[in-house]
Amino acid sequence: MKTPGLLSPLFACALILSVNITPPETAAQQIVNAKSSASAAAALEQDIVSEINLARERPAEYAAYLEQLRSLYSGREYRRPGKPGLMTEEGTKALDEAISFLRAARPAPPLTLSLGMCSGARELVKDQSVSGATGHQGADGSFCEQRTARFGSWTDPIGENLSYGDDNARERVITFLIDDGFASRGHRKRLLDPTFRVAGVACGGHKLGAMCVITLAAGFAEGGAAKTAQPAGKKTTIPAGAKRF
């Protein structure tokens, strides 16, 4: 989804002036802010897991949440209360398709959160929170398979969903389920696929607001300290015939 509109010159000048007159943070304030950010990220991570599992375990109930969004569309524009409008690519077409998919879906087992997989997901958060980059490939060339394998052994299939912006957990999950503009509907399929049984979720600051990495796999064996000590740049062999989503 795309957010229309640019800053007016007057607002931009006001923003610059406010930055110039704001005193620098003290060391104590920086520590407090860092702790607050970490706490907010942890809460968002837990909320995302809860939302995904709600959609998996009670898909028909989650379809009802999506049905309430129809009235917020005006053509292809999605008008959220209190927020800027978003210009979608498909309008209600993708929304209605998601509702039908959820109505027909059978309940899937809830995802189990894995410490090692969360650590693997956090690798990309640490990378992109500094670089401001987006996408599945890390600065070292790694993808979710390699990052997850640094902390243990995953079982095929494995996949990853990424989210950037200021949305809360439910809004992020709903965006994945609608999957506007993605013909394969891969984000939706990953979240609801009963083949995936374990997950790793990590969120953190990003120039776009906040980013969240959600890695899913059929299984995972924690690797312990030996795996966590593996250098970030070291390549990991992906099992032959592994199915990557």
Side-chain angles (χ1 to χ4, degrees), residues 63-148:
Y65 299 145
L66 271 64
E67 288 176 337
Q68 297 172 13
L69 304 180
R70 279 202 188 98
S71 63
L72 301 181
Y73 281 79
S74 177
R76 291 193 298 116
E77 186 179 4
Y78 175 46
R79 298 175 176 176
R80 302 171 297 171
K83 293 185 178 181
L86 295 176
M87 188 58 66
T88 69
E89 293 189 26
E90 302 177 64
T92 56
K93 175 179 179 293
L95 173 68
D96 290 337
E97 183 187 306
I99 293 170
S100 296
F101 189 97
L102 286 164
R103 288 291 184 194
R106 292 183 178 181
L111 295 168
T112 300
L113 205 58
S114 158
L115 179 61
M117 288 187 65
C118 287
S119 297
R122 199 165 304 283
E123 294 282 283
L124 190 61
V125 173
K126 291 178 181 177
D127 179 347
Q128 295 186 352
S129 64
V130 175
S131 68
T134 60
H136 295 279
Q137 187 171 20
D140 60 357
S142 65
F143 287 95
C144 64
E145 295 93 336
Q146 291 87 9
R147 291 189 291 269
T148 303

Side-chain angles (χ1 to χ4, degrees), residues 25 29 105 115 148 161 204 210 243:
E25 290 183 340
Q29 287 173 328
L115 179 61
T148 303
N161 280 6
K243 185 179 181 182

